Amino acid sequence: MLEIVSLEKRFGQNTILRDVNIKVARGELVFIIGPSGSGKSTMLRCCNRLEEPSAGDIIVDGRNIMSGTRRDLDLMRLKVGMVFQGFHLYPHMSVLGNVTLAQRKALGRSRAEADERALDMLERVGLAHKADAMPSELSGGQQQRVAIARSLALDPLVMLFDEPTSALDPELVGSVLKVMKDLKEKGMTMLVVSHEMGFARETADRVIFMDGGVIVEEGRPEQIFGAPKAERTRAFLSRVL
Ligand code: ADP
Ligand code: MG
């Protein structure tokens, strides 16, 4: 569903990502771990060209988003949902307004269609009863679930998560992870950057350890957490676990 091929990213003289190759099969949850500054966010942002790769290819559902017209890119961008650490909801719009806006602007859905889809997705994240609330009336965990619903409402083929629970108070983390686990169980294809190692052990199909802009090793969660091969992986895990 998503294939990152020989991805390279440079900022000026600095090479931030070097020969990154990741394949995420349909329905798979691939988990990325690694120290701060290792290039995880940059890698995710390259997947929908929020950040322009210096070299390499990004293939979504068989289509290379590095080639093709501007319109092809806009269409494919909608197919790659992204959830960030901060929720970026519009503060002056209701929850329903936030979840319908891009559906109407980018997909041209009618208000009725967009409302229906939004309510379905809010139901899925357990927040249908908050449709008329303003973002400021919600907890951080609820705001993040709205951001997930907003993304899902655009019918993505794959969802990218960049530290979705890092900004949350500890007691709110579980509700967001539960939504992500539920998404995985429903067959969503997901690439997740997070420090929630317990969640990775429980739900990830594969774990990739990145450091210094390269993939150091990857494997099943029990292998990476239980018997990491590389010294750098062991050192990282001993700091965070
Ligand atoms: P991570 O998400 O793993 O913490 P990032 O992808 O945010 O890492 O950053 C990787 C490296 O790229 C860091 O050294 C960061 O300073 C650098 N970097 C990120 N964005 C830019 C940018 N727009 N310009 C220059 N350097 C950047
Ligand atoms: Mg980051």
Side-chain angles (χ1 to χ4, degrees), residues 148-186:
I148 294 172
R150 173 180 59 185
S151 211
L152 292 175
L154 301 174
D155 307 322
L157 293 169
V158 48
M159 288 283 288
L160 311 178
F161 291 86
D162 193 359
E163 303 200 26
T165 60
S166 295
L168 301 178
D169 289 334
E171 75 272 21
L172 303 177
V173 168
S175 68
V176 172
L177 295 181
K178 182 171 172 295
V179 164
M180 291 170 67
K181 186 170 178 204
D182 182 60
L183 266 183
K184 156 78 178 155
E185 280 164 5
K186 292 210 163 70

Side-chain angles (χ1 to χ4, degrees), residues 34-42 44-45 85 162-163 193 195:
S36 177
S38 55
K40 306 180 300 295
S41 295
T42 305
L44 285 188
R45 291 164 58 80
Q85 183 176 341
D162 193 359
E163 303 200 26
V193 172
H195 300 293

Side-chain angles (χ1 to χ4, degrees), residues 8 10-11 22 38 41 48 52 54 57 87 100 104 117 125 127 134 157 168 170 180 193 195 200 217 219 223:
E8 184 171 312
R10 292 182 297 270
F11 287 113
I22 298 175
S38 55
S41 295
N48 55 8
E52 193 60 25
S54 305
D57 290 302
F87 332 116
T100 52
R104 301 185 63 201
R117 181 78 180 147
V125 302
L127 290 172
M134 299 303 279
L157 293 169
L168 301 178
M180 291 170 67
V193 172
H195 300 293
E217 77 176 287
Q223 186 254 307

Side-chain angles (χ1 to χ4, degrees), residues 98-112:
N98 270 282
V99 182
T100 52
L101 185 69
Q103 293 188 66
R104 301 185 63 201
K105 295 251 185 237
L107 296 180
R109 287 185 184 152
S110 69
R111 179 182 290 274

Side-chain angles (χ1 to χ4, degrees), residues 77 96 145 159 210 227:
R77 257 195 187 136
L96 189 68
R145 282 146 62 199
M159 288 283 288
M210 278 182 74

